[in-house]
Amino acid sequence: MYATYVYAAVSVLAASIILFGYWFHRRRELSTDAVDEWEERSRSRTRTVKGVDRETFLKIYVSGHQPRWALYACGTLLVALLTTPVIGVALMMLWPIIVLGLDGGPWYDVGYYPWMFYMFFGMCFSWAGVAFVMARLHHARRPEPFNAALARARGEPLDDVVIPRKRPAWAKKVRPLATDTNKDQT
């Protein structure tokens, strides 16, 4: 009877383990890449790391490039899995209160279509609520971009830092007009 739920729970756990493993693996790779980047910058581009110690650079590099989404997706799946039974019980306790003011026909009993509709969308909305909270945490706790954090570590005021952006591929053929033809001629 409960085999479907067990399969779903095992699938969610497996996906969480895979996501956490991916995050952990990428973080370890980034740690070795950060050491290589530090050595290369210390040799050839000393101006970019002037005043920044090695440990600070490594921390900034890893936090700026790690795939945080995988860690938060893992957390989202685990929180949704752990809150599902609690939310299911809460929805079951709320159902008699919802149908209290209705005519009380047998079609409002547990197991009929109105109840199934209520439980399905109640669980979907609760999982969406978990995803919303975790997405808010993901965006609220995001680190500074790498170049900005490195400039701040060098002691430069961030307002004076100009971070060059690559021109988009679609804009390479666009050329500004020599004269502005949209001006009012009054």
Side-chain angles (χ1 to χ4, degrees):
M1 177 175 162
Y2 295 108
T4 305
Y5 302 119
V6 172
Y7 294 147
V10 168
S11 299
V12 166
L13 285 173
S16 297
I17 290 170
I18 290 169
L19 286 167
F20 184 78
Y22 173 74
W23 172 80
F24 186 76
H25 175 71
R26 285 294 299 144
R27 188 168 167 87
R28 287 186 59 209
E29 282 182 351
L30 283 170
S31 297
T32 59
D33 291 346
V35 171
D36 296 340
E37 182 74 16
W38 167 258
E39 291 171 358
E40 192 272 327
R41 283 179 184 250
S42 296
R43 270 186 282 117
S44 62
R45 298 185 286 172
T46 57
R47 185 180 59 81
T48 61
V49 291
K50 182 179 123 184
V52 180
D53 63 336
R54 182 176 188 267
E55 294 306 315
T56 304
F57 179 83
L58 298 180
K59 180 182 168 193
I60 290 171
Y61 188 87
V62 171
S63 70
H65 292 94
Q66 71 178 333
R68 294 174 48 248
W69 64 268
L71 186 62
Y72 280 90
C74 169
T76 302
L77 289 173
L78 289 176
V79 169
L81 180 67
L82 294 175
T83 59
T84 295
V86 175
I87 293 169
V89 169
L91 288 172
M92 286 293 294
M93 291 172 60
L94 190 61
W95 179 248
I97 296 169
I98 291 173
V99 298
L100 189 64
L102 301 176
D103 61 358
W107 45 85
Y108 294 116
D109 290 341
V110 172
Y112 285 94
Y113 285 122
W115 177 82
M116 285 189 266
F117 181 86
Y118 163 76
M119 289 299 289
F120 175 78
F121 285 106
M123 292 306 292
C124 287
F125 285 132
S126 68
W127 292 332
V130 169
F132 171 77
V133 169
M134 293 300 283
R136 294 289 297 172
L137 286 174
H138 178 264
H139 290 293
R141 300 184 67 209
R142 72 176 176 265
E144 270 185 310
F146 172 68
N147 289 329
L150 187 59
R152 188 180 303 280
R154 285 192 305 255
E156 298 175 15
L158 197 56
D159 295 334
D160 298 340
V161 176
V162 177
I163 299 173
R165 288 188 286 191
K166 190 176 177 183
R167 189 167 181 180
W170 60 267
K172 290 182 179 172
K173 296 180 182 179
V174 176
R175 302 282 181 232
L177 294 174
T179 61
D180 192 9
T181 58
N182 295 331
K183 288 185 179 176
D184 292 331
Q185 298 177 357
T186 54

